[in-house]
Each structure stands twice: as C-alpha cells, then as structure tokens.
Amino acid sequence: MKIALLGSTGRVGSIVYENARHNHSIHRLIRNPARETTSDDSIIKGDVLNERNVHSIIAGCDAVISCLNTDNEDVLTRSMPLILKAMRVHGVPRIITCGTAGILNSSTEPHLYRFQSKESKRRRTAAAEDHLRSFLMLRASGLDWTVVCPTYLPDGGRLGDYRLQKDALPDGGKSISIYDTADFIYTELIDPHFAGSRVGISY
C-alpha cells in the first residue's frame, strides 16, 4: 500500500511512520527535512498549506493519514480543503486523521461536543474548534474517513489494551499513550472498523 503521511515528525505521526514503513511505501511531507533524523526516499519537502505540495504527496497513493497538530493559525482548517481536493483529483478514497476527544459527543449533554460541555476542563477552545472544522469538512466530503480521537496523550508506552467507542469517549476514559494511539491508527488503516465515524480511544 502507498500511504501519504502528514504530520510524520509529531509525537503520534512519528510512531505511525515507524509502524508502517517496513511494509508500505510512505510519502511524507516535511517542511524542514534537515531536522529529520532518518534520511530516506519517503520525504518530500513541502508545506501542507501549499496546494502543489499536497498534490505531489497524495498523487499515486492508496490512503492518507494525517497526524497534523493544530496551532494558532488554524492549520487543520486551512489544510483540509487542499487535502480533500487532492484526494478527489487523484482518486484516493481513504483518510484517517488524528483528532481530539473534545470533538466527540458529550455523554452528559448529547446536543453538544465534549469541548462545549461541562465534561471539558479546557480554558481555551481554539484548538478544539480547529479540529471540529476539520471533522465537519471530512463528514461532508463523501470520502471514506475516520477520525481517531484520543483523550489526554502522555508519552507512556504500549499497553496494547485500550477501549474504543464510536463517536464518544469510553466511559471514565482519562488517558491513552501516544504509542497505543498510533498503533490503533495503523490498525484501523489495515483492518477498518470505524469508517465514516469518529472513534474515542482511552484506557
């Protein structure tokens, strides 16, 4: 399988890359390749906000995985239209993104997202709002999408024993390591069970 991987230098994305690189052809879009410790043919220098760069990494791939982080400049909101357009142009049907538990449905106030409800301890909501706009674009895209939504993400290690729930956070879920999150993203790519939905993941 050929995979376009965005955010491969981040905490979760770097582990997804390690999981996938031995069995698949990976295309990675990286702004500063000089900072990358591994040097291989998977790296394409570029920016996810540059339409030509996005097309260059997605062309010829079978699926897209995005582990992009949000920032103060709405990078998820601004990049998603470019990603979706390139997927349509190049006939790439499948995308998995790493989101946040904040955009899952609230268990106490079902008409709200978690970040909007009393469940959330967030003081600032800009990051969750960026993730939400990205999710809404995916939902309307008509493509085969999944948004993996971890709660608090310590580095931790691999336990391999975690809980999953469609569109909501498992009851009482407090944390999930970056390793188990990345492992699940890779598993969902190979053996999909949550197409067309968000999936909450926690211990």
Side-chain angles (χ1 to χ4, degrees):
M1 184 184 300
K2 293 182 179 179
I3 303 166
L5 177 57
L6 306 170
S8 68
T9 61
R11 296 166 68 229
V12 174
S14 61
I15 302 167
V16 172
Y17 171 65
E18 288 301 321
N19 287 346
R21 70 187 184 95
H22 298 294
N23 297 311
H24 306 278
S25 174
I26 313 296
H27 297 177
R28 297 189 291 160
L29 189 64
I30 298 178
R31 280 183 295 180
N32 299 303
R35 296 182 181 178
E36 180 63 16
T37 56
T38 60
S39 178
D40 55 47
D41 294 338
S42 71
I43 296 175
I44 297 172
K45 182 178 180 180
D47 193 313
V48 74
L49 298 179
N50 180 297
E51 185 170 358
R52 181 177 296 178
N53 293 164
V54 172
H55 277 268
S56 70
I57 193 174
I58 289 177
C61 286
D62 302 298
V64 175
I65 297 177
S66 174
C67 296
L68 292 168
N69 293 319
T70 187
D71 60 11
N72 293 324
E73 298 181 354
D74 294 333
V75 68
L76 302 181
T77 302
R78 295 165 62 202
S79 64
M80 187 55 70
L82 305 182
I83 295 167
L84 296 177
K85 179 180 178 180
M87 290 178 66
R88 292 189 183 97
V89 167
H90 299 289
V92 181
R94 178 72 168 138
I95 178 169
I96 301 176
T97 70
C98 187
T100 171
I103 64 169
L104 294 167
N105 297 340
S106 168
S107 60
T108 58
E109 300 168 89
H111 59 292
L112 299 177
Y113 296 102
R114 288 188 76 250
F115 82 92
Q116 298 169 332
S117 75
K118 296 176 183 177
E119 292 176 57
S120 177
K121 301 294 190 276
R122 296 170 185 263
R123 294 184 178 180
R124 300 180 61 187
T125 62
E129 289 168 357
D130 194 17
H131 277 287
L132 177 59
R133 289 188 292 267
S134 176
F135 156 60
L136 293 175
M137 284 185 270
L138 281 169
R139 190 173 65 178
S141 69
L143 296 171
D144 183 2
W145 59 270
T146 299
V147 183
V148 178
C149 298
T151 183
Y152 170 59
L153 269 172
D155 289 348
R158 283 186 170 90
L159 298 185
D161 184 16
Y162 45 78
R163 296 177 295 153
L164 305 169
Q165 186 169 340
K166 181 179 178 181
D167 295 327
L169 187 67
D171 187 42
K174 300 296 183 183
S175 68
I176 180 75
S177 77
I178 58 174
Y179 292 93
D180 281 330
T181 300
D183 290 353
F184 173 69
I185 289 172
Y186 179 65
T187 298
E188 178 65 15
L189 175 69
I190 302 305
D191 185 19
H193 288 83
F194 293 93
S197 67
R198 297 156 293 166
V199 51
I201 178 171
S202 69
Y203 296 128

